[in-house]
Amino acid sequence: MSGIASAFSGQSRDNWFEKFARFGLASKGVVYFLMGTLSVLAAFGLSREKGDKAEAFKFIYDQPFGRLILIGVALGLFGYVMLRMFQAFKDTENKGSGWKGIFNRIGYGMSALLYLAIGAYALKLVFRGVTGGGDSDSRQFVVSKVLEYPGGEYVVGIAALIVVGMGIYQGSRGITGSFMKKVSLVRSNMKDAFKTAGTIGYISRGIVLVIIGYFLLHAAWLSNPDEAQGTGAAFDFLENKFGSFMMALVALGLVGYGVFCFVKAKYQKIDLDF
């Protein structure tokens, strides 16, 4: 009897963790969907702010029951942090211990830390209200602290190269369609539409990450944390260099990435190795 109870308890725990991870993917989808939508509106002059994560949270905060919704999104992001931690330390994606596998797992770990900070920012917004600052300010604070140490420029520079590498990897996944590897859409009658959303989503996210990595590399080169900018500045860069239409296309891609996060929340195979 105790053995049956133990097995049932283990299955319940595994099921709870899987649901929490799926909730995390859905919450990430909400954030990217809003980031992309706000930036598309900005490209056509319908919004003053280009959407980074802080702007997405402020948008939620200003809605009816916004604080309650924001708490849910923050908790969901912690579920995504849990998933990334398993992928980084338990190697549930079977990336291995080769240089490529280690690179991917470091990326998972950095993603976990990033979304931990993002979730914490969302909770701070809930309990303290809108006090200014945001995505780029948090990044600049961290970079400034790292630059205070000997060799800090090299640490920031390595982090920048990893971010650029992650951007190239995300873009290549969109181009090759490898992002579909663990997502089974056999039972969905919208397979082609979802795959298209994922394709433009991963390519667009890759472009944004490469630009953010470039900003970070510039911060390391100049030893200036103010150069470490986020998604909003990446859209400014696209608009200034390539025009509002290109900015709108990439922003629309982030909307697609958000949609595909919802798809992953429902259809992705999730391995949690206990």
Side-chain angles (χ1 to χ4, degrees):
M1 182 67 71
S2 61
I4 295 174
S6 177
F8 178 77
S9 176
Q11 289 176 357
S12 298
R13 178 196 61 188
D14 293 357
N15 189 48
W16 186 89
F17 275 110
E18 181 182 337
K19 287 181 177 180
F20 193 34
R22 293 189 187 281
F23 183 38
L25 287 167
S27 297
K28 182 182 176 184
V30 170
V31 174
Y32 271 92
F33 186 88
L34 287 176
M35 286 168 58
T37 300
L38 291 172
S39 297
V40 170
L41 293 175
F44 293 104
L46 300 175
S47 173
R48 291 180 300 173
E49 299 292 340
K50 298 174 179 70
D52 59 13
K53 296 176 181 67
E55 290 300 328
F57 289 149
K58 289 174 185 175
F59 177 84
I60 295 172
Y61 180 87
D62 289 335
Q63 305 311 305
F65 305 105
R67 290 189 178 187
L68 188 61
I69 296 170
L70 201 52
I71 289 173
V73 171
L75 292 177
L77 291 177
F78 295 143
Y80 185 72
V81 170
M82 178 202 70
L83 176 62
R84 283 308 202 194
M85 294 294 281
F86 272 96
Q87 291 169 337
F89 294 103
K90 289 284 190 176
D91 193 21
T92 55
E93 296 291 297
N94 298 314
K95 296 298 182 181
S97 300
W99 69 268
K100 186 176 179 180
I102 294 297
F103 177 82
N104 281 309
R105 290 167 68 181
I106 289 174
Y108 293 145
M110 289 179 63
S111 180
L113 292 174
L114 173 64
Y115 281 93
L116 181 63
I118 292 170
Y121 175 78
L123 288 180
K124 178 182 176 183
L125 196 61
V126 169
F127 295 109
R128 296 188 182 180
V130 179
T131 57
D135 191 24
S136 291
D137 286 351
S138 299
R139 184 179 289 100
Q140 290 165 5
F141 174 78
V142 172
V143 171
S144 69
K145 292 301 179 183
V146 174
L147 289 175
E148 290 177 359
Y149 292 92
E153 299 90 347
Y154 296 102
V155 174
V156 175
I158 291 170
L161 293 175
I162 291 174
V163 173
V164 171
M166 288 168 61
I168 294 171
Y169 174 66
Q170 293 290 308
S172 68
R173 291 185 73 193
I175 293 169
T176 63
S178 63
F179 62 90
M180 294 289 293
K181 185 177 179 181
K182 289 195 137 187
V183 180
S184 176
L185 297 176
V186 175
R187 293 176 292 175
S188 172
N189 57 5
M190 295 186 64
K191 179 178 180 180
D192 291 340
F194 287 150
K195 185 175 181 180
T196 299
T199 299
I200 63 171
Y202 275 89
I203 292 173
S204 296
R205 186 168 183 248
I207 290 170
V208 171
L209 283 174
V210 168
I211 296 172
I212 290 173
Y214 164 76
F215 290 153
L216 201 56
L217 194 61
H218 209 224
W221 182 261
L222 298 176
S223 296
N224 183 1
D226 291 340
E227 297 292 328
Q229 298 289 330
T231 307
F235 281 124
D236 283 332
F237 178 88
L238 285 169
E239 186 174 34
N240 293 334
K241 296 292 184 181
F242 305 103
S244 296
F245 182 71
M246 178 60 72
M247 172 188 151
L249 281 179
V250 175
L252 190 62
L254 289 194
V255 174
Y257 183 79
V259 170
F260 197 75
C261 284
F262 300 143
V263 174
K264 292 197 330 182
K266 182 173 182 180
Y267 294 105
Q268 179 171 307
K269 180 183 177 183
I270 294 179
D271 297 315
L272 297 175
D273 180 14
F274 292 95

